[in-house]
Amino acid sequence: MIRTRIEVRNMACEMCEAHVIEAVRKILSHGEARRIRAFHRRNEVTIESEAPLSESLVRECIRSIGETGYPTGAASSEEVKQGLLARLFGG
């Protein structure tokens, strides 16, 4: 599993998180993402996917988030090893 992180500033609450998630979901509407989560306290959105996202998709996500009014920063990706329960139950 690949986790892509995008820095998102000025999120203050769960509603802000929902706006950011929706902005990303609009771009990744073809099943590229397995899970999208935003964290206002960590100033980031994470996208979990089976394969790495292309640079153009990440740029489109950043653009879409920016259009909602939230400034973005750096983006990075890393491979994440799943735990036993996640492998067994698809979590």
Side-chain angles (χ1 to χ4, degrees), residues 5 7 13 17 22 25 33 36 38 42 47-48 52 57 60-61 63-64 71 75-76 84:
R5 297 173 195 255
E7 180 185 357
C13 63
E17 293 172 353
E22 185 59 33
R25 191 171 282 136
I36 303 166
R42 288 191 282 183
I47 305 160
E48 293 179 2
L57 274 177
E60 283 296 308
C61 289
R63 181 196 55 75
S64 183
S76 63
L84 177 62

Side-chain angles (χ1 to χ4, degrees), residues 57-89:
L57 274 177
V58 173
R59 280 195 303 268
E60 283 296 308
C61 289
I62 290 170
R63 181 196 55 75
S64 183
I65 293 167
E67 287 177 355
T68 64
Y70 298 97
T72 57
S76 63
S77 294
E78 64 183 347
E79 187 171 352
V80 178
K81 296 185 189 256
Q82 291 184 311
L84 177 62
L85 291 177
R87 287 191 303 256
L88 289 174
F89 300 107

Side-chain angles (χ1 to χ4, degrees), residues 11-26:
M11 290 190 293
C13 63
E14 290 80 12
M15 185 57 74
C16 297
E17 293 172 353
H19 290 145
V20 169
I21 290 169
E22 185 59 33
V24 172
R25 191 171 282 136
K26 278 195 274 188

Side-chain angles (χ1 to χ4, degrees), residues 2-3 74:
I2 305 296
R3 181 176 296 140

Side-chain angles (χ1 to χ4, degrees), residues 7-59:
E7 180 185 357
V8 182
R9 294 183 295 278
N10 296 345
M11 290 190 293
C13 63
E14 290 80 12
M15 185 57 74
C16 297
E17 293 172 353
H19 290 145
V20 169
I21 290 169
E22 185 59 33
V24 172
R25 191 171 282 136
K26 278 195 274 188
I27 302 303
L28 303 178
S29 61
H30 301 290
E32 298 90 352
R34 185 168 178 179
R35 179 183 298 167
I36 303 166
R37 299 187 328 184
F39 304 94
H40 69 277
R41 289 188 174 103
R42 288 191 282 183
N43 295 314
E44 71 179 14
V45 62
T46 62
I47 305 160
E48 293 179 2
S49 55
E50 293 298 324
L53 298 176
S54 69
E55 283 188 43
S56 62
L57 274 177
V58 173
R59 280 195 303 268

